Amino acid sequence: MSFSSALLWRGLSAIVIGIVSVAWPDVTVGALALVFAVYAFIAAAADTMRAFGSDRAGPVVGSLLLAVLSVVAGVMAIAWPGITALVLTIWIAAWALITGGAEVAMAFRHHETAGQRAMWGLTGLVSLALGVALFVRSDIGALSLATVFGLFSLFYGISALVLYVQLRQATTPTSSPSSSGAGVGG
């Protein structure tokens, strides 16, 4: 699976999870932990594909670290399904801060287009904002967490789809006007 396909599937899964989380915010803490675990495993798979799709060591290491972080987050969410809303909120806040920081850093890679760098930066900043908001108001409870996480997932999914489209457009060859025979003198 290519990097662009990984972005597509990551974006679509984040949107589905976001819609479910916003539509049914009264989800139990255990179900929310399971939803988070599924999303974390999907993110880990996408980051692993990104790591092995790169030809340089720096992006490989960074993507693999993000994948490991996501797997650990998913396993912990499944291992302790009775976790309290407070602990789950703090865990998701830490995850959002770390991944947001990594995405902001990815915005400064030189081989990306300006639009791609802007989307990485914006997505990272929103992730950082989610982490800060959840740390500041960790008492908001599972109901509010489901809604906030759902809105974040919707934004994240949409931004991943925008990056997917930009990447596809950047790699699709375009025909030049001179190749159609126009302007050829005779």
Side-chain angles (χ1 to χ4, degrees), residues 34-128:
L34 184 59
V35 166
F36 174 74
V38 168
Y39 179 76
F41 292 139
I42 291 169
D47 289 332
T48 301
M49 286 184 252
R50 184 182 323 140
F52 292 109
S54 178
D55 59 348
R56 294 192 323 253
V60 171
V61 172
S63 293
L64 285 177
L65 286 174
L66 285 176
V68 167
L69 175 67
S70 293
V71 167
V72 168
V75 167
M76 290 186 76
I78 290 173
W80 292 291
I83 196 170
T84 65
L86 177 64
V87 173
L88 183 58
T89 302
I90 291 170
W91 183 254
I92 292 172
W95 170 77
L97 285 174
I98 294 168
T99 58
E103 287 166 344
V104 167
M106 290 170 70
F108 293 98
R109 295 188 306 184
H110 297 291
H111 65 282
E112 304 287 346
T113 66
Q116 290 168 335
R117 287 193 309 258
M119 285 307 298
W120 281 118
L122 182 60
T123 302
L125 290 174
V126 168
S127 185
L128 288 169

Side-chain angles (χ1 to χ4, degrees), residues 11 14-20 22 147-160:
I15 289 171
V16 168
I17 288 169
I19 290 170
V20 169
V22 170
T147 303
V148 170
F149 183 71
L151 293 172
F152 165 75
S153 293
L154 285 170
F155 175 83
Y156 197 88
I158 291 167
S159 67

